[in-house]
Amino acid sequence: KIAQKRGSCDTTQPFLKWLGGKRSLVAEHIKPVYDRAKPIGKLVEPFCGSLAVSLGLQAEHALLCDTNPYLVNLYQVLAQGHTLTQAYDNSADDYYEARDRFNDLISKGCWEKTKCGRIEMASLFYYINRHCFNGLIRFNSRGQFNAAYGKYKQTWYEPLDAYQNQFAGWSFVNGDFECLTKSICESDFVYADPPYDTTFVGYTKEGFSWEDQVRLAEWLSALPCTVVASNSSTDRIKTLYRDLGFQTKDIKVARFISCDGNREAATEMLAVKEVA
């Protein structure tokens, strides 16, 4: 069984390390819009990532999507009450052995067909996330995970069973954001945190192009509910969202994890479309 950190678990915070996580935005920038939109049917996140926003808002009902199948599998396994197991310690040898096993399961492509396979994949993904360099979830063009060992002196694990009750009213979906279209209604609240324009896009082997940015912005603008979106504060991104009727503003965001180790505050765009 995975060694767990002693003491209480704060389930308003994510248990994964995550590049570009939005926990610092929730209270000041997202929750005020969320509260104005109440009553809310469900929170919808097309790029749910570490669940920082969903957990921070303590949403009762949520539809959470991501293009990373291993991330979504982890959440589904935990929601179903399964316990993660691990045979690897905090060492470079163990890390690369675990990474090789993870990539081997990806290559074989049959891990999702059995409960044991799904639990093993979830366990490996969680281990890799805790031990890789800066929590960088990165895949090459062949779909292989390639982040290096993080060389941490000590790594803690959260008691993940504490999250099961929170997940009870949440649905997890693996796919492109447009697969959610028919499930979104006027009473919902959508928060979109896609791979950012001109920054790291190696989150999946497919990447996220400018055409995808335009497709996403147009999709968000056509939704019948309140929408909040984050992105890089580039001129073309701000123009794109403003032309589609969003109100935009620049905000300073602390970087707790970055792909290059830079912890300086970054300027990001927050775009908001509220419905009456």
Side-chain angles (χ1 to χ4, degrees):
K1 186 176 181 180
I2 285 183
Q4 296 181 344
K5 181 168 58 176
R6 293 183 179 180
S8 61
C9 176
D10 182 3
T11 56
T12 68
Q13 301 296 325
F15 56 84
L16 295 173
K17 297 180 180 180
W18 210 254
L19 178 65
K22 292 300 180 292
R23 60 183 178 179
S24 63
L25 266 65
V26 175
E28 183 177 355
H29 298 288
I30 301 174
K31 193 174 187 301
V33 186
Y34 185 78
D35 287 343
R36 288 198 298 270
K38 288 181 177 178
I40 290 168
K42 63 181 177 292
L43 170 66
V44 180
E45 286 199 66
F47 308 88
C48 67
S50 68
L51 306 180
V53 172
S54 303
L55 291 170
L57 293 174
Q58 288 289 282
E60 182 178 1
H61 301 287
L63 175 59
L64 305 168
C65 181
D66 206 278
T67 55
N68 187 320
Y70 322 112
L71 174 70
V72 173
N73 174 66
L74 170 61
Y75 295 147
Q76 291 173 336
V77 165
L78 293 176
Q80 292 162 6
H82 300 304
T83 299
L84 303 190
T85 58
Q86 204 57 258
Y88 303 100
D89 292 323
N90 181 22
S91 71
D93 287 344
D94 276 33
Y95 174 79
Y96 288 114
E97 182 180 341
R99 194 182 75 171
D100 287 345
R101 174 59 177 166
F102 183 72
N103 285 330
D104 184 53
L105 290 174
I106 291 174
S107 297
K108 290 178 178 176
C110 58
W111 58 268
E112 71 277 14
K113 295 181 180 180
T114 66
K115 182 177 75 174
C116 290
R118 294 180 63 239
I119 292 173
E120 181 182 9
M121 202 60 162
S123 300
L124 286 166
F125 186 81
Y126 185 45
Y127 170 86
I128 287 171
N129 174 263
R130 302 307 294 171
H131 292 270
C132 70
F133 176 73
N134 272 336
L136 181 61
I137 302 302
R138 183 181 66 190
F139 295 84
N140 62 25
S141 59
R142 294 181 291 110
Q144 299 283 286
F145 184 82
N146 62 3
Y149 175 56
K151 301 179 182 178
Y152 302 110
K153 291 182 179 179
Q154 192 172 37
T155 300
W156 292 105
Y157 298 94
E158 298 290 350
L160 299 180
D161 55 347
Y163 289 85
Q164 188 178 357
N165 287 339
Q166 182 65 68
F167 288 178
W170 296 1
S171 297
F172 297 98
V173 178
N174 172 227
D176 181 81
F177 57 86
E178 287 192 282
C179 75
L180 303 176
T181 304
K182 294 181 179 179
S183 301
I184 299 174
C185 58
E186 292 180 3
S187 63
D188 293 339
F189 180 94
V190 174
Y191 173 68
D193 184 34
Y196 278 14
D197 182 34
T198 73
T199 57
F200 174 72
V201 293
Y203 177 60
T204 61
K205 66 178 182 178
E206 294 83 6
F208 204 79
S209 66
W210 173 248
E211 288 73 24
D212 290 322
Q213 296 284 3
V214 173
R215 182 168 62 92
L216 170 64
E218 292 177 343
W219 179 77
L220 292 171
S221 71
L223 294 178
C225 58
T226 296
V227 175
V228 177
S230 300
N231 214 305
S232 300
S233 182
T234 60
D235 289 341
R236 66 177 185 173
I237 279 289
K238 289 188 286 190
T239 298
L240 172 63
Y241 278 85
R242 287 170 183 166
D243 287 350
L244 289 168
F246 286 81
Q247 298 294 315
T248 69
K249 64 179 179 179
D250 285 347
I251 55 176
K252 287 289 187 180
V253 178
R255 299 189 206 182
F256 297 102
I257 295 174
S258 66
C259 60
D260 57 5
N262 182 6
R263 296 294 194 274
E264 293 181 2
T267 301
E268 298 184 358
M269 176 207 74
L270 200 72
V272 178
K273 183 199 75 171
E274 296 186 77
V275 295

